[in-house]
Amino acid sequence: MTNNQYFDLLMWARTTGFDIALTIMVGGILLRVIEIVVLGRKKDFAKAKGSPVTQGIKTIFSRSVPRKGTMKEAPVTYIGGYIFHIGFFVAFLFLGAHIALIKDLIGLSWPDFNKAVIETAVALAIVAAAALAYTRFTDPVRRRLTGWSDWFVLIVSVLPLITGYIAVNKVFGVDGTLWMAIHILSAELLMVSFPFTKLMHAVTFAMARYYNGSIQGRKGAES
Amino acid sequence: MAQKPMLPELLKAHGVSRRGFLKYCASLTSLMALPPMLAPKVAHALENAPRPSVIWLSFQECTGCTEAITRSSAPTIEDLIFNAISLDYHHTLQAASGHAAEAAREAAMKDHWGEYLLIVDGSIPVDNPEYSCIAGISNLDMLKETAEGAAAIVAVGTCAAFGGIPHAFPNPTGAQAVGDIITDKPIINVPGCPPIPIVMTSVLAHFLTFGLPELDDLGRPKAFFGETIHDRCYRRPFYDKGLFAEAFDDEGAREGWCLYKLGCKGPTTRSVCATVKWNDGTSFPIQSGHPCLGCTEPDFWDNGGFYKPLSAPAGNYRQLGLAAAAGGVALGVAGGALSKATKSRAAKAHETVDAHDLEKKS
């Protein structure tokens, strides 16, 4: 049968592949968040002084700025971490094709960024990820702390950036349709691994920070 | 038809100047991605073309391909080139019909066995060949029979090249492309719904002058199907700037911004629409404000909807997403409850130990 196999792969990624990825991601995130919430805490019979709730909410935001001295201790982690996160979200949230996808999913849309801005953000994010991987590999302490799933997460989160850049610019004269398919599949790999790896921090960071903050904000003994 | 005058006389009769003809040959040459120095060769070859016999078979089709080539604007040089070949059989264009027409086909086949060019538009029903018959002969039989003595086959239009609309889901007739049935002859696929007229005639001109053109993986001439519409689109700068039409009547649409979000298939569609254009270079779908449907690609009818952006999912994710949400919540509650139960069991089973007990044990 005469067929464009690349387009068939793209269609699989847009249909079955996306369905599977979204199901696993949505189901997985809810499973993990609900599980944590259901686990709960023991009822505290001692009336708290201070303001644990306010402090908890404050901490969600205040921990976005690293503690003093981090810049000196780990400058690559500090700067690279910021650049990677900002670059990733600029590309994810402001490329026209992605906004079209989000609009299709939830009905919301906003203005697009110029391709030059997005590509600069992507290039910087890729370089930052490479630098983060490099320090992780060369620093003996961090290397020992890094398991296979951490390397996996690092690769899986950079892959959509690399494949997207190749697909849009047809780097090395690649087939645009094939690389669009590969790009979507790489994003789907990210979606599938999201709930079951440290990528889950994108959701649980708020819960963890709130919890820590509320402990700090509480004054007095806990029953 | 065999007594028809050669091309120079025809051109003269239709008031086409020699300059006009040479200009046409030059544009054909550049369109076919041939070196400019070959333009005189193209002109010479067309003037002295041996007028090969051409048999045009129309199967499951809408006649749009024939309409496009004959009515692009009259009289076109494309039209005259068609007159220059010996079109010995064409259902739509010939006066004869039924058995008389079939007799003409058989005569042409017999006279030019192994030399004639076979042009096919339309797909072939294979599940039940009787769905489409001409003079009692099924399309399948007619194709097999006529292809046997052909020098080469040109599958004109997406139906003949890839199955096209008849092949669209659920494909009730079991429609197949020419290339799915005939495997032992050189086949040039010229897809499009319809193909651009000058592309059709250029392919014929190439065949007459230099033989088979260079083809891509889908059997399409690389000269016309080598680049995507997106890469050659005059609206591409708007895509790069992030300026999109979001609806057919919004400001973006009026300003002529990129149609990606309205489902344009330009990024995945290979054709020269954006450069050669239609109706003597007047316009093409995107210029007229409509997204590209991707009609030169296989299965374009089933590729996720004409108005869905290429980046948007095209499956049943909504239902599945809801099921996943419900399933995730249920499993989360169950998992949490299980952990809680384990915790309280552990708390109950916890033995208290004091210093005396420890001393006793040691």
Side-chain angles (χ1 to χ4, degrees), chain A residues 14 97 104 112 115 170 175, chain B residues 231 240 270 311 314 317-318:
Chain A
R14 286 177 65 199
D104 196 84
D112 316 79
K115 191 175 144 215
K170 297 185 184 164
D175 186 278
Chain B
D231 284 345
D240 290 344
R270 290 170 185 270
S311 58
Y317 67 89
R318 278 181 205 284

Side-chain angles (χ1 to χ4, degrees), chain A residues 24-43:
Chain A
I24 292 176
M25 191 175 95
V26 170
I29 291 174
L30 281 168
L31 188 158
R32 289 202 60 188
V33 169
I34 302 273
E35 198 177 10
I36 294 167
V37 173
V38 166
L39 207 53
R41 302 295 306 163
K42 253 195 283 178
K43 196 168 165 55

Side-chain angles (χ1 to χ4, degrees), chain A residues 1-4 7 10-11 14-15 18-19 22-23 26-27 30-31 34-35 38-39 96-97 99-101 103-105 112-115 168 170 175 177 180, chain B residues 162 180 218 228 231 240-242 246 260-261 268 270 297-299 303-304 308-314 316-318 320 324-325 328 331-333 336 339-340:
Chain A
M1 187 63 70
T2 317
N3 228 338
N4 185 344
F7 206 102
L10 176 64
M11 282 311 294
R14 286 177 65 199
T15 53
F18 186 83
D19 293 349
L22 189 80
T23 307
V26 170
L30 281 168
L31 188 158
I34 302 273
E35 198 177 10
V38 166
L39 207 53
I99 296 175
L101 161 72
K103 192 182 178 189
D104 196 84
L105 287 175
D112 316 79
F113 276 6
N114 192 309
K115 191 175 144 215
V168 169
K170 297 185 184 164
D175 186 278
T177 308
M180 205 185 291
Chain B
F162 307 131
D180 297 329
L218 294 170
T228 64
D231 284 345
D240 290 344
K241 277 185 187 164
E246 307 263 349
Y260 185 94
K261 290 188 181 177
T268 52
R270 290 170 185 270
E297 297 295 326
D299 294 330
N303 283 337
K308 219 176 213 323
L310 266 171
S311 58
N316 297 319
Y317 67 89
R318 278 181 205 284
L320 282 168
L331 282 173
V333 170
S339 306
K340 256 183 132 171

Side-chain angles (χ1 to χ4, degrees), chain A residues 11 14, chain B residues 262-263 265 300-310 314:
Chain A
M11 282 311 294
R14 286 177 65 199
Chain B
L262 290 172
K265 303 292 177 290
F300 79 100
W301 205 263
D302 291 322
N303 283 337
F306 290 157
Y307 302 102
K308 219 176 213 323
L310 266 171

Side-chain angles (χ1 to χ4, degrees), chain A residues 72-149:
Chain A
K72 241 184 186 172
E73 281 170 33
V76 177
T77 312
Y78 192 117
I79 300 168
Y82 267 113
I83 293 179
F84 178 76
H85 279 89
I86 294 169
F88 185 95
F89 282 103
V90 162
F92 175 49
L93 294 175
F94 293 102
L95 181 79
H98 297 161
I99 296 175
L101 161 72
I102 294 165
K103 192 182 178 189
D104 196 84
L105 287 175
I106 56 172
L108 293 175
S109 73
W110 46 83
D112 316 79
F113 276 6
N114 192 309
K115 191 175 144 215
V117 175
I118 300 208
E119 290 192 348
T120 309
V122 167
L124 288 172
I126 293 171
V127 171
L132 288 169
Y134 178 77
T135 52
R136 190 168 272 274
F137 190 76
T138 48
D139 183 338
V141 178
R142 258 177 278 179
R143 195 169 161 182
R144 273 192 169 276
L145 288 171
T146 308
W148 70 267
S149 86

